[in-house]
Coordinates of all heavy atoms in Angstrom, one line a residue:
M284 N -9.0 13.3 -4.6 CA -7.7 12.6 -4.2 C -7.9 11.1 -4.4 O -9.0 10.6 -4.4 CB -7.3 12.9 -2.8 CG -6.8 14.3 -2.6 SD -5.9 14.6 -1.1 CE -7.0 14.0 0.2
K285 N -6.8 10.4 -4.5 CA -6.8 9.0 -4.6 C -5.7 8.4 -3.7 O -4.7 9.1 -3.3 CB -6.5 8.6 -6.1 CG -7.6 8.9 -7.0 CD -7.4 8.3 -8.3 CE -8.6 8.6 -9.2 NZ -8.6 7.9 -10.5
L286 N -5.8 7.2 -3.4 CA -4.8 6.5 -2.7 C -3.9 5.8 -3.7 O -4.3 5.1 -4.6 CB -5.4 5.4 -1.7 CG -4.4 4.6 -0.9 CD1 -3.7 5.4 0.1 CD2 -5.1 3.4 -0.3
K287 N -2.6 6.0 -3.6 CA -1.6 5.4 -4.5 C -0.8 4.4 -3.7 O -0.2 4.8 -2.6 CB -0.7 6.5 -5.1 CG 0.2 6.0 -6.2 CD 0.9 7.1 -6.8 CE 1.8 6.6 -8.0 NZ 2.5 7.7 -8.6
I288 N -0.7 3.2 -4.2 CA 0.2 2.1 -3.6 C 1.3 1.9 -4.5 O 1.1 1.4 -5.7 CB -0.6 0.9 -3.4 CG1 -1.9 1.1 -2.5 CG2 0.2 -0.2 -2.8 CD1 -2.9 0.0 -2.5
I289 N 2.5 2.2 -4.1 CA 3.7 2.0 -4.9 C 4.4 0.7 -4.5 O 4.7 0.6 -3.3 CB 4.7 3.2 -4.8 CG1 4.0 4.5 -5.2 CG2 5.9 3.0 -5.7 CD1 4.7 5.7 -4.9
D290 N 4.7 -0.2 -5.4 CA 5.2 -1.5 -5.1 C 6.7 -1.5 -5.5 O 7.1 -1.2 -6.6 CB 4.4 -2.5 -5.9 CG 4.9 -3.9 -5.7 OD1 5.6 -4.2 -4.8 OD2 4.4 -4.8 -6.6
Y291 N 7.5 -1.9 -4.5 CA 8.9 -2.0 -4.7 C 9.3 -3.5 -4.4 O 8.8 -4.1 -3.5 CB 9.7 -1.1 -3.7 CG 9.6 0.3 -4.0 CD1 8.7 1.1 -3.3 CD2 10.4 1.0 -4.9 CE1 8.5 2.4 -3.6 CE2 10.3 2.3 -5.2 CZ 9.3 3.0 -4.5 OH 9.2 4.4 -4.7
F292 N 10.3 -4.0 -5.2 CA 10.9 -5.3 -5.0 C 12.3 -5.2 -4.5 O 13.0 -4.4 -5.0 CB 10.8 -6.2 -6.2 CG 11.4 -7.6 -6.0 CD1 10.6 -8.5 -5.4 CD2 12.7 -7.9 -6.4 CE1 11.2 -9.8 -5.1 CE2 13.2 -9.1 -6.1 CZ 12.4 -10.1 -5.5
W293 N 12.6 -5.9 -3.4 CA 14.0 -5.8 -2.9 C 14.5 -7.2 -2.7 O 13.8 -8.2 -2.5 CB 14.0 -5.0 -1.6 CG 13.3 -5.7 -0.5 CD1 12.0 -5.7 -0.2 CD2 13.9 -6.6 0.5 NE1 11.7 -6.5 0.9 CE2 12.9 -7.0 1.3 CE3 15.2 -7.0 0.7 CZ2 13.1 -7.9 2.4 CZ3 15.4 -7.8 1.8 CH2 14.4 -8.3 2.6
S294 N 15.8 -7.3 -2.7 CA 16.5 -8.6 -2.4 C 17.9 -8.4 -1.9 O 18.5 -7.3 -2.2 CB 16.6 -9.4 -3.8 OG 17.2 -10.6 -3.6
V295 N 18.4 -9.3 -1.1 CA 19.7 -9.1 -0.6 C 20.7 -9.2 -1.7 O 20.7 -10.0 -2.6 CB 20.0 -10.3 0.4 CG1 21.4 -10.2 0.9 CG2 19.0 -10.2 1.6
G296 N 21.6 -8.2 -1.8 CA 22.6 -8.1 -2.8 C 22.2 -7.5 -4.1 O 22.9 -7.4 -5.0
H297 N 20.9 -7.0 -4.1 CA 20.4 -6.4 -5.4 C 19.8 -5.0 -5.0 O 19.4 -4.8 -3.9 CB 19.3 -7.2 -6.0 CG 19.8 -8.5 -6.5 ND1 20.5 -8.7 -7.7 CD2 19.8 -9.8 -6.0 CE1 20.8 -9.9 -7.9 NE2 20.4 -10.6 -6.8
R298 N 19.7 -4.2 -6.0 CA 19.1 -2.9 -5.8 C 17.6 -3.0 -5.7 O 16.9 -3.8 -6.4 CB 19.4 -2.0 -7.1 CG 20.3 -0.9 -6.8 CD 20.5 -0.1 -8.1 NE 19.5 1.0 -8.1 CZ 19.5 1.8 -9.1 NH1 20.3 1.8 -10.1 NH2 18.6 2.8 -9.1
T299 N 17.0 -2.2 -4.8 CA 15.6 -2.1 -4.7 C 15.0 -1.4 -5.9 O 15.5 -0.4 -6.3 CB 15.2 -1.4 -3.4 OG1 15.7 -2.0 -2.3 CG2 13.7 -1.2 -3.3
K300 N 14.0 -2.0 -6.6 CA 13.5 -1.4 -7.8 C 11.9 -1.3 -7.7 O 11.3 -2.1 -7.1 CB 13.9 -2.1 -9.0 CG 13.4 -3.4 -9.2 CD 13.8 -4.0 -10.6 CE 13.1 -5.3 -10.9 NZ 13.4 -5.8 -12.2
R301 N 11.4 -0.3 -8.3 CA 10.0 0.0 -8.4 C 9.4 -1.0 -9.5 O 9.9 -1.0 -10.6 CB 9.7 1.4 -8.7 CG 8.3 1.8 -8.8 CD 8.1 3.2 -9.0 NE 6.7 3.6 -9.2 CZ 6.3 4.8 -9.1 NH1 7.1 5.8 -8.9 NH2 5.0 5.0 -9.3
V302 N 8.4 -1.7 -9.1 CA 7.8 -2.7 -10.1 C 6.4 -2.3 -10.5 O 5.8 -3.0 -11.4 CB 7.9 -4.1 -9.6 CG1 9.3 -4.6 -9.5 CG2 7.2 -4.3 -8.2
G303 N 5.8 -1.4 -9.8 CA 4.4 -1.0 -10.2 C 3.8 0.0 -9.2 O 4.3 0.3 -8.1
S304 N 2.7 0.5 -9.6 CA 1.9 1.4 -8.8 C 0.4 1.1 -9.1 O 0.0 0.8 -10.2 CB 2.2 2.8 -8.9 OG 1.8 3.3 -10.2
H305 N -0.4 1.3 -8.0 CA -1.8 1.0 -8.1 C -2.6 2.2 -7.5 O -2.1 2.8 -6.5 CB -2.2 -0.2 -7.3 CG -1.4 -1.4 -7.7 ND1 -1.7 -2.2 -8.8 CD2 -0.2 -1.9 -7.2 CE1 -0.8 -3.2 -8.9 NE2 0.1 -3.0 -8.0
R306 N -3.6 2.7 -8.1 CA -4.4 3.8 -7.6 C -5.8 3.4 -7.3 O -6.4 2.6 -8.0 CB -4.5 4.9 -8.7 CG -3.2 5.6 -9.0 CD -3.2 6.5 -10.1 NE -1.9 7.0 -10.5 CZ -1.1 6.3 -11.3 NH1 -1.5 5.2 -11.8 NH2 0.1 6.8 -11.7
M307 N -6.3 3.9 -6.2 CA -7.6 3.5 -5.7 C -8.4 4.8 -5.4 O -7.9 5.7 -4.8 CB -7.5 2.7 -4.4 CG -6.9 1.4 -4.5 SD -6.6 0.6 -2.9 CE -8.3 0.4 -2.3
P308 N -9.7 4.9 -5.8 CA -10.5 6.0 -5.4 C -10.7 6.0 -3.9 O -10.8 4.9 -3.3 CB -11.8 5.8 -6.2 CG -11.8 4.4 -6.6 CD -10.4 3.9 -6.6
L309 N -10.9 7.1 -3.3 CA -11.2 7.2 -1.9 C -12.6 6.9 -1.6 O -13.4 7.8 -1.3 CB -10.8 8.5 -1.3 CG -9.3 8.8 -1.4 CD1 -9.0 10.2 -0.8 CD2 -8.5 7.8 -0.7
V310 N -13.0 5.6 -1.6 CA -14.3 5.2 -1.3 C -14.3 4.1 -0.3 O -13.5 3.2 -0.4 CB -15.0 4.6 -2.6 CG1 -16.4 4.1 -2.3 CG2 -15.0 5.6 -3.7
E311 N -15.0 4.3 0.8 CA -15.0 3.3 1.9 C -15.4 1.9 1.3 O -16.4 1.8 0.6 CB -15.9 3.7 3.0 CG -15.4 4.9 3.8 CD -16.2 5.3 5.0 OE1 -17.1 4.5 5.3 OE2 -16.0 6.3 5.5
G312 N -14.7 0.9 1.7 CA -15.0 -0.5 1.2 C -14.2 -0.9 -0.1 O -14.3 -2.0 -0.5
E313 N -13.6 0.1 -0.7 CA -12.8 -0.2 -2.0 C -11.7 -1.1 -1.6 O -10.9 -0.9 -0.7 CB -12.3 1.1 -2.6 CG -11.6 1.0 -3.9 CD -12.6 0.7 -5.0 OE1 -13.8 1.1 -4.9 OE2 -12.1 0.2 -6.0
T314 N -11.5 -2.1 -2.5 CA -10.4 -3.1 -2.2 C -9.6 -3.3 -3.4 O -10.1 -3.3 -4.6 CB -11.1 -4.5 -1.8 OG1 -11.9 -4.3 -0.7 CG2 -10.0 -5.5 -1.5
R315 N -8.3 -3.5 -3.2 CA -7.3 -3.7 -4.3 C -6.4 -4.9 -3.9 O -5.8 -4.9 -2.8 CB -6.5 -2.5 -4.6 CG -5.5 -2.5 -5.7 CD -6.2 -2.7 -7.1 NE -7.3 -1.8 -7.3 CZ -7.3 -0.7 -8.1 NH1 -6.2 -0.3 -8.7 NH2 -8.4 0.0 -8.2
K316 N -6.2 -5.8 -4.8 CA -5.4 -7.0 -4.6 C -4.0 -6.7 -5.2 O -3.9 -6.4 -6.4 CB -5.9 -8.2 -5.2 CG -5.1 -9.5 -5.0 CD -5.7 -10.7 -5.6 CE -4.8 -11.8 -5.6 NZ -5.3 -13.0 -6.3
V317 N -2.9 -6.8 -4.4 CA -1.6 -6.5 -4.8 C -0.7 -7.7 -4.2 O -0.5 -7.7 -3.0 CB -1.0 -5.2 -4.4 CG1 0.4 -4.9 -4.9 CG2 -2.0 -4.0 -4.8
H318 N -0.2 -8.6 -5.1 CA 0.7 -9.6 -4.7 C 0.2 -10.4 -3.4 O 0.8 -10.4 -2.4 CB 2.1 -9.1 -4.4 CG 2.8 -8.5 -5.6 ND1 3.2 -9.3 -6.6 CD2 3.0 -7.3 -5.9 CE1 3.8 -8.6 -7.5 NE2 3.6 -7.3 -7.1
Y319 N -1.0 -11.0 -3.5 CA -1.6 -11.8 -2.5 C -2.0 -11.1 -1.2 O -2.3 -11.7 -0.2 CB -0.7 -13.0 -2.1 CG -0.3 -13.8 -3.3 CD1 1.0 -13.7 -3.8 CD2 -1.2 -14.6 -4.0 CE1 1.4 -14.5 -4.9 CE2 -0.8 -15.4 -5.1 CZ 0.5 -15.3 -5.6 OH 0.8 -16.0 -6.7
L320 N -2.0 -9.7 -1.3 CA -2.4 -8.9 -0.2 C -3.7 -8.1 -0.6 O -3.7 -7.7 -1.8 CB -1.3 -7.9 0.3 CG -0.1 -8.5 0.9 CD1 0.9 -7.4 1.2 CD2 -0.5 -9.2 2.2
L321 N -4.6 -7.9 0.3 CA -5.7 -7.1 0.0 C -5.6 -5.8 0.8 O -5.5 -5.8 2.0 CB -7.0 -7.8 0.4 CG -7.4 -9.1 -0.4 CD1 -8.6 -9.7 0.2 CD2 -7.6 -8.8 -1.8
F322 N -5.6 -4.7 0.0 CA -5.6 -3.3 0.6 C -7.1 -2.8 0.6 O -7.6 -2.7 -0.5 CB -4.7 -2.4 -0.1 CG -3.2 -2.7 0.0 CD1 -2.6 -3.7 -0.8 CD2 -2.5 -2.2 1.0 CE1 -1.3 -4.0 -0.7 CE2 -1.1 -2.5 1.2 CZ -0.5 -3.4 0.3
K323 N -7.7 -2.6 1.7 CA -9.1 -2.1 1.8 C -9.1 -0.8 2.5 O -8.6 -0.6 3.6 CB -9.9 -3.2 2.5 CG -11.3 -2.8 2.6 CD -12.1 -3.9 3.4 CE -13.6 -3.4 3.5 NZ -14.3 -4.4 4.4
I324 N -9.9 0.1 2.0 CA -10.1 1.4 2.6 C -11.2 1.3 3.6 O -12.4 1.0 3.2 CB -10.4 2.5 1.6 CG1 -9.2 2.7 0.6 CG2 -10.8 3.8 2.2 CD1 -9.4 3.7 -0.5
D325 N -10.9 1.5 4.9 CA -11.9 1.3 6.0 C -12.6 2.6 6.3 O -13.8 2.7 6.5 CB -11.2 0.8 7.2 CG -10.8 -0.6 7.1 OD1 -11.4 -1.4 6.3 OD2 -9.8 -1.0 7.8
S326 N -11.9 3.7 6.3 CA -12.4 5.0 6.7 C -11.8 6.1 5.9 O -10.6 6.1 5.7 CB -12.2 5.2 8.2 OG -12.6 6.5 8.6
V327 N -12.6 7.1 5.5 CA -12.1 8.3 4.7 C -12.5 9.5 5.5 O -13.6 9.7 5.8 CB -12.7 8.3 3.3 CG1 -12.2 9.6 2.6 CG2 -12.3 7.1 2.5
E328 N -11.5 10.3 5.9 CA -11.7 11.6 6.6 C -11.1 12.7 5.7 O -10.6 12.5 4.6 CB -11.1 11.6 7.9 CG -11.7 10.5 8.8 CD -11.0 10.4 10.2 OE1 -10.2 11.3 10.6 OE2 -11.2 9.4 10.9
T329 N -11.1 13.9 6.2 CA -10.7 15.1 5.4 C -9.3 14.9 4.9 O -9.1 15.1 3.7 CB -10.9 16.4 6.2 OG1 -12.2 16.5 6.7 CG2 -10.5 17.6 5.3
D330 N -8.4 14.7 5.8 CA -7.0 14.6 5.4 C -6.3 13.3 5.7 O -5.0 13.2 5.7 CB -6.2 15.8 6.0 CG -6.5 17.1 5.4 OD1 -6.9 17.1 4.2 OD2 -6.3 18.1 6.0
K331 N -7.0 12.3 6.0 CA -6.4 11.0 6.2 C -7.4 9.9 5.9 O -8.6 10.0 5.8 CB -6.0 10.9 7.7 CG -7.1 10.7 8.7 CD -6.5 10.6 10.1 CE -7.6 10.3 11.1 NZ -7.0 10.1 12.4
V332 N -6.7 8.7 5.6 CA -7.5 7.5 5.2 C -6.9 6.3 6.1 O -5.7 6.2 6.3 CB -7.2 7.2 3.7 CG1 -7.9 5.9 3.3 CG2 -7.7 8.3 2.9
I333 N -7.8 5.5 6.6 CA -7.4 4.3 7.3 C -7.6 3.1 6.4 O -8.6 2.9 5.8 CB -8.3 4.1 8.6 CG1 -8.1 5.3 9.5 CG2 -7.9 2.8 9.3 CD1 -8.9 5.3 10.7
V334 N -6.5 2.4 6.2 CA -6.4 1.3 5.2 C -6.0 0.0 6.0 O -5.1 0.0 6.9 CB -5.3 1.5 4.2 CG1 -5.2 0.4 3.2 CG2 -5.6 2.8 3.4
S335 N -6.8 -1.1 5.8 CA -6.4 -2.4 6.4 C -5.8 -3.3 5.3 O -6.2 -3.3 4.2 CB -7.6 -3.0 7.0 OG -8.6 -3.3 6.0
V336 N -4.7 -4.0 5.8 CA -4.0 -4.9 4.9 C -4.3 -6.3 5.4 O -4.1 -6.6 6.6 CB -2.5 -4.6 5.0 CG1 -1.7 -5.6 4.1 CG2 -2.2 -3.2 4.6
S337 N -4.8 -7.2 4.5 CA -5.1 -8.5 5.0 C -4.7 -9.5 3.9 O -4.4 -9.2 2.8 CB -6.6 -8.6 5.2 OG -7.4 -8.3 4.0
R338 N -4.7 -10.8 4.3 CA -4.4 -11.9 3.4 C -5.6 -12.1 2.5 O -6.7 -11.6 2.8 CB -4.0 -13.1 4.1 CG -2.8 -12.9 4.9 CD -2.3 -14.2 5.5 NE -3.3 -15.1 6.0 CZ -3.2 -16.0 7.0 NH1 -2.0 -16.1 7.5 NH2 -4.1 -16.8 7.4
E339 N -5.5 -13.0 1.5 CA -6.6 -13.3 0.6 C -7.7 -14.0 1.4 O -8.9 -13.9 1.0 CB -6.1 -14.2 -0.5 CG -5.3 -13.4 -1.6 CD -5.0 -14.3 -2.7 OE1 -4.3 -15.4 -2.5 OE2 -5.3 -14.0 -3.9
D340 N -7.4 -14.7 2.4 CA -8.5 -15.4 3.2 C -9.2 -14.5 4.2 O -10.1 -15.0 4.9 CB -7.9 -16.7 3.9 CG -6.9 -16.3 5.0 OD1 -6.6 -15.1 5.2 OD2 -6.4 -17.2 5.6
G341 N -8.8 -13.3 4.2 CA -9.5 -12.3 5.1 C -8.8 -12.0 6.4 O -9.3 -11.2 7.2
T342 N -7.8 -12.7 6.7 CA -7.1 -12.5 8.0 C -6.4 -11.1 8.0 O -5.5 -10.9 7.1 CB -6.0 -13.6 8.2 OG1 -6.7 -14.9 8.1 CG2 -5.4 -13.5 9.6
L343 N -6.7 -10.3 9.0 CA -6.2 -9.0 9.1 C -4.7 -9.0 9.5 O -4.3 -9.7 10.4 CB -6.9 -8.1 10.1 CG -6.5 -6.7 10.3 CD1 -6.7 -5.9 9.0 CD2 -7.2 -6.1 11.4
I344 N -3.8 -8.3 8.7 CA -2.4 -8.3 9.1 C -2.1 -7.0 9.8 O -1.5 -7.0 10.8 CB -1.6 -8.4 7.8 CG1 -1.8 -9.7 7.1 CG2 -0.1 -8.2 8.1 CD1 -1.2 -9.8 5.7
K345 N -2.5 -5.9 9.2 CA -2.2 -4.6 9.8 C -3.1 -3.5 9.4 O -3.7 -3.6 8.3 CB -0.7 -4.2 9.3 CG -0.1 -3.0 10.1 CD 1.3 -2.9 9.7 CE 1.9 -1.9 10.6 NZ 3.4 -1.8 10.5
T346 N -3.3 -2.5 10.2 CA -4.1 -1.3 9.9 C -3.2 -0.1 9.8 O -2.4 0.1 10.7 CB -5.2 -1.1 10.9 OG1 -6.0 -2.3 11.0 CG2 -6.1 0.1 10.5
L347 N -3.3 0.6 8.7 CA -2.4 1.8 8.4 C -3.2 3.0 8.3 O -4.3 3.0 7.8 CB -1.6 1.6 7.1 CG -0.8 0.3 7.0 CD1 -0.3 0.1 5.5 CD2 0.4 0.3 7.9
T348 N -2.7 4.1 8.9 CA -3.3 5.4 8.7 C -2.4 6.3 7.8 O -1.2 6.5 8.1 CB -3.4 6.1 10.1 OG1 -4.2 5.3 11.0 CG2 -4.1 7.5 9.9
V349 N -3.0 6.7 6.7 CA -2.2 7.5 5.7 C -2.8 8.9 5.7 O -4.0 9.1 5.5 CB -2.4 6.9 4.3 CG1 -1.6 7.7 3.2 CG2 -2.1 5.4 4.2
E350 N -1.9 9.8 6.0 CA -2.3 11.2 6.1 C -1.8 12.0 4.9 O -0.8 11.6 4.3 CB -1.7 11.9 7.4 CG -2.2 11.3 8.6 CD -1.6 11.9 9.9 OE1 -0.9 12.9 9.7 OE2 -1.9 11.4 11.0
K351 N -2.5 13.0 4.5 CA -2.1 13.9 3.4 C -0.7 14.5 3.6 O -0.5 15.1 4.7 CB -3.1 15.0 3.2 CG -2.9 15.8 2.0 CD -4.0 16.8 1.8 CE -3.8 17.7 0.6 NZ -4.8 18.7 0.5
G352 N 0.2 14.3 2.7 CA 1.5 14.9 2.8 C 2.5 14.0 3.6 O 3.7 14.4 3.8
N353 N 2.0 12.9 4.1 CA 2.9 12.0 5.0 C 2.7 10.6 4.5 O 1.8 9.9 5.0 CB 2.5 12.2 6.4 CG 3.4 11.5 7.3 OD1 4.5 11.1 6.9 ND2 3.0 11.3 8.6
P354 N 3.5 10.1 3.6 CA 3.3 8.7 3.1 C 3.6 7.7 4.2 O 4.3 7.9 5.1 CB 4.4 8.6 2.0 CG 5.0 9.9 1.8 CD 4.6 10.8 2.9
N355 N 3.0 6.5 4.0 CA 3.1 5.4 5.0 C 3.8 4.3 4.3 O 3.5 4.0 3.1 CB 1.7 5.0 5.5 CG 1.8 4.3 6.8 OD1 2.8 3.6 7.1 ND2 0.8 4.5 7.7
W356 N 4.7 3.6 5.0 CA 5.5 2.5 4.4 C 5.1 1.2 5.0 O 5.0 1.1 6.3 CB 6.9 2.9 4.7 CG 7.9 1.9 4.2 CD1 8.2 1.6 2.9 CD2 8.8 1.1 5.0 NE1 9.3 0.7 2.9 CE2 9.6 0.4 4.1 CE3 8.9 0.9 6.4 CZ2 10.5 -0.5 4.6 CZ3 9.9 0.1 6.8 CH2 10.7 -0.7 5.9
Y357 N 4.8 0.2 4.2 CA 4.5 -1.1 4.8 C 5.5 -2.1 4.2 O 5.6 -2.3 3.0 CB 3.1 -1.5 4.4 CG 2.7 -2.9 4.8 CD1 2.8 -3.3 6.1 CD2 2.4 -3.9 3.9 CE1 2.5 -4.6 6.5 CE2 2.2 -5.2 4.2 CZ 2.2 -5.6 5.6 OH 2.0 -6.8 5.9
H358 N 6.2 -2.8 5.1 CA 7.2 -3.8 4.7 C 6.9 -5.1 5.4 O 7.1 -5.2 6.6 CB 8.6 -3.3 5.2 CG 9.7 -4.2 4.9 ND1 10.3 -4.2 3.6 CD2 10.3 -5.1 5.6 CE1 11.2 -5.2 3.6 NE2 11.3 -5.7 4.8
P359 N 6.3 -6.1 4.7 CA 6.0 -7.4 5.3 C 7.2 -8.0 5.8 O 8.3 -7.8 5.3 CB 5.4 -8.2 4.1 CG 4.9 -7.2 3.1 CD 5.9 -6.0 3.3
M360 N 7.1 -8.9 6.8 CA 8.2 -9.6 7.4 C 8.8 -10.5 6.4 O 8.2 -11.4 5.8 CB 7.7 -10.4 8.6 CG 8.8 -11.1 9.3 SD 10.0 -9.9 9.9 CE 11.1 -11.0 10.8
S361 N 10.1 -10.3 6.0 CA 10.8 -11.2 5.1 C 12.3 -11.0 5.5 O 12.8 -9.9 5.8 CB 10.6 -10.8 3.7 OG 11.3 -11.6 2.8
M362 N 13.1 -12.1 5.3 CA 14.5 -12.0 5.7 C 15.4 -11.9 4.5 O 16.5 -11.3 4.7 CB 14.9 -13.3 6.4 CG 14.0 -13.5 7.7 SD 14.2 -12.0 8.8 CE 15.1 -12.7 10.1
D363 N 15.0 -12.3 3.3 CA 16.0 -12.3 2.2 C 15.5 -11.6 0.9 O 16.3 -11.2 0.1 CB 16.5 -13.7 1.9 CG 15.3 -14.7 1.6 OD1 14.2 -14.2 1.7 OD2 15.6 -15.8 1.3
A364 N 14.2 -11.5 0.7 CA 13.7 -10.8 -0.5 C 12.2 -10.6 -0.3 O 11.5 -11.3 0.5 CB 13.9 -11.7 -1.7
G365 N 11.6 -9.7 -1.1 CA 10.2 -9.5 -1.0 C 9.7 -8.2 -1.6 O 10.5 -7.5 -2.2
H366 N 8.5 -7.9 -1.4 CA 7.9 -6.7 -1.8 C 7.7 -5.8 -0.6 O 7.4 -6.2 0.5 CB 6.5 -6.9 -2.5 CG 6.7 -7.6 -3.8 ND1 6.8 -6.9 -5.0 CD2 6.8 -8.9 -4.1 CE1 6.9 -7.7 -6.0 NE2 6.9 -9.0 -5.5
E367 N 7.8 -4.5 -0.8 CA 7.4 -3.5 0.2 C 6.6 -2.4 -0.5 O 6.6 -2.2 -1.7 CB 8.7 -2.9 0.8 CG 9.6 -2.2 -0.2 CD 11.0 -1.8 0.5 OE1 11.3 -2.4 1.5 OE2 11.6 -1.0 0.0
Y368 N 5.8 -1.7 0.2 CA 4.8 -0.8 -0.3 C 4.8 0.5 0.3 O 5.0 0.7 1.5 CB 3.4 -1.4 -0.1 CG 3.3 -2.8 -0.6 CD1 3.5 -3.9 0.2 CD2 3.1 -3.1 -2.0 CE1 3.4 -5.2 -0.2 CE2 3.0 -4.4 -2.5 CZ 3.2 -5.4 -1.6 OH 3.1 -6.7 -2.0
V369 N 4.6 1.6 -0.5 CA 4.5 2.9 0.0 C 3.1 3.4 -0.3 O 2.7 3.3 -1.5 CB 5.5 3.9 -0.6 CG1 5.3 5.3 -0.2 CG2 6.9 3.5 -0.3
L370 N 2.3 3.8 0.7 CA 1.0 4.3 0.5 C 0.9 5.8 0.7 O 1.5 6.3 1.7 CB 0.0 3.6 1.5 CG -0.3 2.1 1.2 CD1 0.8 1.2 1.7 CD2 -1.6 1.8 1.9
K371 N 0.4 6.5 -0.2 CA 0.3 8.0 -0.1 C -1.0 8.5 -0.8 O -1.5 7.8 -1.7 CB 1.5 8.6 -0.6 CG 1.8 8.5 -2.0 CD 3.1 9.2 -2.4 CE 3.4 9.1 -3.9 NZ 4.6 9.8 -4.2
L372 N -1.4 9.6 -0.3 CA -2.6 10.3 -0.9 C -2.0 11.2 -2.0 O -1.1 12.0 -1.8 CB -3.4 11.1 0.1 CG -4.0 10.2 1.2 CD1 -4.7 11.1 2.2 CD2 -5.1 9.3 0.6
T373 N -2.6 11.1 -3.2 CA -2.2 11.9 -4.3 C -3.4 12.7 -4.8 O -4.5 12.3 -4.7 CB -1.6 11.1 -5.4 OG1 -2.5 10.2 -5.9 CG2 -0.3 10.4 -5.0
K374 N -3.1 13.8 -5.5 CA -4.1 14.7 -6.0 C -4.1 14.6 -7.6 O -3.0 14.8 -8.2 CB -3.9 16.1 -5.6 CG -5.0 17.1 -6.0 CD -4.7 18.4 -5.4 CE -5.8 19.4 -5.8 NZ -5.6 20.7 -5.2
Y375 N -5.2 14.3 -8.2 CA -5.3 14.2 -9.6 C -6.3 15.2 -10.1 O -7.3 15.4 -9.5 CB -5.7 12.8 -10.1 CG -4.7 11.7 -9.8 CD1 -4.7 11.0 -8.7 CD2 -3.6 11.5 -10.7 CE1 -3.7 10.0 -8.5 CE2 -2.6 10.6 -10.5 CZ -2.7 9.8 -9.4 OH -1.7 8.9 -9.2
F376 N -6.0 15.8 -11.2 CA -6.9 16.8 -11.8 C -7.7 16.2 -12.9 O -7.3 15.3 -13.6 CB -6.1 18.0 -12.4 CG -5.3 18.7 -11.3 CD1 -4.0 18.5 -11.1 CD2 -6.0 19.6 -10.5 CE1 -3.3 19.2 -10.1 CE2 -5.3 20.3 -9.5 CZ -3.9 20.1 -9.3

């Protein structure tokens, strides 16, 4: 399995659109930079993964738990436009 981060851009008065996706292997310590945020895999268990979201300077913003079959949604605080992310576990053959 892999962790998939789907990136959406939204704005007031415009349709939300998908702008990209990023895949990460399920390895503890694996880090991926997406739009000035660092997504780091902290812990890997049988059916769930714990992911920390931090700024580029290392300041922790949030810790997310992603379970198999249950996607997790992360929406940074913004009032008029920005990116939002859906994190889910996917199976690749």
Side-chain angles (χ1 to χ4, degrees):
M284 287 198 305
K285 292 188 179 190
L286 177 69
K287 185 174 185 179
I288 303 169
I289 304 171
D290 180 14
Y291 292 95
F292 181 77
W293 68 276
S294 179
V295 174
H297 295 280
R298 249 179 91 179
T299 300
K300 68 176 187 174
R301 182 176 173 164
V302 292
S304 67
H305 309 273
R306 291 174 191 84
M307 296 174 61
L309 293 182
V310 177
E311 291 183 10
E313 184 75 23
T314 305
R315 183 65 46 104
K316 179 181 172 186
V317 181
H318 297 287
Y319 306 107
L320 292 175
L321 295 175
F322 291 87
K323 180 181 177 187
I324 297 178
D325 290 332
S326 174
V327 178
E328 297 177 15
T329 305
D330 287 334
K331 73 178 183 176
V332 176
I333 298 175
V334 180
S335 62
V336 181
S337 60
R338 296 189 320 207
E339 285 183 304
D340 65 359
T342 305
L343 181 66
I344 298 172
K345 191 170 189 173
T346 302
L347 305 168
T348 302
V349 183
E350 295 179 6
K351 184 178 178 181
N353 188 15
N355 201 326
W356 178 69
Y357 174 62
H358 180 81
M360 181 64 177
S361 179
M362 300 304 250
D363 54 0
H366 290 267
E367 58 189 22
Y368 308 94
V369 174
L370 286 79
K371 63 181 180 178
L372 294 176
T373 59
K374 187 175 183 179
Y375 290 95
F376 297 102

